[in-house]
Amino acid sequence: MAHLRGSLRCGRTVGLLVEYGKLPTQVSGVDGILSSVYTINPSREYVSKDFGKRAWSSASWDPSVSGEGRYERMSDVPPEGIVTVRDPITFKDNWHAGMSLKEAVDSRNKEDTFGLYVDLPKRAGNVVAEATASFYHHPELTRANIRQFDYGCKGAMQEFNATGQHMCMYRPCLDELYSAALDEGNKGSRVDIVLDGWKGSGKTVALYSLAALAREKGWVVMFVPSASLLVQGGMFKRKDEDEAVWYTPQAAHHILRAVFEPHAESLEILSSLDGRRSLGDVCRHGLETKDDFERVDAAIEVMRGLLRADGEHGIRTLVIVDEYNYLYHRTEYHETMHQFHRRRIEPRELKLASAFMLSEQDREAGIVATACTHGGPISPRVHVPIHSESRIIRVPRFSLEEVSNMCSMMVSKKLVPELPPDDSLRRALALTNGNGKEIREGRTTLFQKDCGMALSFGRKNTSK
């Protein structure tokens, strides 16, 4: 028996609100359009239970206008017993917090900046150079117009290019990420952080901003924007035909260059694994040597050395790997077995890729932050091991208030002609289910007053 508390309605999507933990065993639809049931936990946050359709999860709770009653089935609920919770959306003029990300993190009233945009470091394009596609492109191949892989933060770069500024929305999940990764109490301890969220929820932007913030605070950061760098593109070779381990020297070169260029001085202070030289010497040797095998070994030693040296001489270190599940998917490399057959080389056979499977390795120290990508070429059946003591941070899709602030920003940047009406904003959220990428790419159609989505299908105006 469900304790009816009201309902959420958006277009033809309806959600029922019930008391926490009292989900009905069988739910039938109202006019066949019930899609989700929501429970209310003690903190009054909504938890969606999807019934196969997209969930509408962004109305505000107002107990003063909600109806109450006990019904065995939704079909028993009279029409007047269903209450629509729809507070009008108020667009904020101050969609920007007026401060940098570092200032927001250090602010005592950081809750006031949640949902607002903050500036990333002014030189973020240089501070996190490995996040750009050009960092991995060879000049001669670029001049020859030859296609090259993009191993950068594609989602973050698309957003920055669209707005023309380096900024991100400061959200509670980002604040949780920064607190977990940059906590001074973690010095010398093992910390595994895993970002979990649907495609378009902002995981890539979160890791990008973490790398930028950590470097601004003086941390040494090894940032791999896409683990696909380790399993595709470039040369792959082995020392002899009997060896089962393969080396990827181009990937090792990119990793060494990404950590050495912004942190050369700090790396000279940190000692290598054997203690005979500095990590700066290891990086320099890996970049200058013509021995491809030594280059890969140098990249692995620097990565492991950074994890071990966290807190040494007061220098904090951090390793970030985005699109982490590429390491457990498949490679683009093949070995010729005979003239009619070749076999695909597995990621574990690549020495560098295997070394970056950090969640399943035993280590006593080091802070690692990872996130998996959803969609694209990676199968959802891919199993990614997670350390038993990993801290999982949920990255939710954008809420109605966050989408309204996003829309205000787009209007100020001339990406959207004017603020959309309330129905258009709610419809945009329902159609995208809070997917930031879909909202950014489909903004022209989603925020039209005359319901451009419906008009494109030859229907009449449905916004009235």
Side-chain angles (χ1 to χ4, degrees), residues 302-376:
V302 170
M303 182 269 292
R304 292 175 176 170
L306 288 176
L307 293 175
R308 181 199 56 81
D310 181 34
E312 183 179 321
H313 302 294
I315 299 176
R316 302 302 309 275
T317 62
L318 173 65
V319 176
I320 304 175
V321 184
D322 197 9
E323 299 185 347
Y324 183 70
N325 46 344
Y326 263 103
L327 297 176
Y328 298 90
H329 182 46
R330 62 169 179 257
T331 74
E332 296 298 326
Y333 308 131
H334 296 80
E335 177 187 9
T336 301
M337 306 304 294
H338 55 74
Q339 60 178 338
F340 298 114
H341 173 66
R342 64 175 186 169
R343 74 170 186 90
R344 188 187 297 274
I345 299 175
E346 297 299 322
R348 291 187 183 276
E349 299 179 67
L350 304 177
K351 188 171 185 178
L352 188 59
S354 179
F356 271 87
M357 296 179 179
L358 300 168
S359 60
E360 57 183 276
Q361 297 175 3
D362 293 330
R363 69 176 196 278
E364 298 180 356
I367 304 175
V368 175
T370 63
C372 293
T373 181
H374 300 288

Side-chain angles (χ1 to χ4, degrees), residues 61 130 165-166 188 199 208 244 306 311 323 331 369:
W61 174 254
E130 61 268 38
Q165 293 186 358
H166 280 84
K199 182 179 181 180
Y208 177 96
L306 288 176
E323 299 185 347
T331 74

Side-chain angles (χ1 to χ4, degrees), residues 243-272:
E243 188 175 9
V245 179
W246 296 79
Y247 292 74
T248 48
Q250 272 81 8
H253 176 84
H254 292 315
I255 291 174
L256 289 171
R257 179 186 163 209
V259 71
F260 183 73
E261 290 183 352
H263 304 298
E265 295 182 3
S266 298
L267 291 173
E268 296 295 341
I269 302 175
L270 301 177
S271 59
S272 61

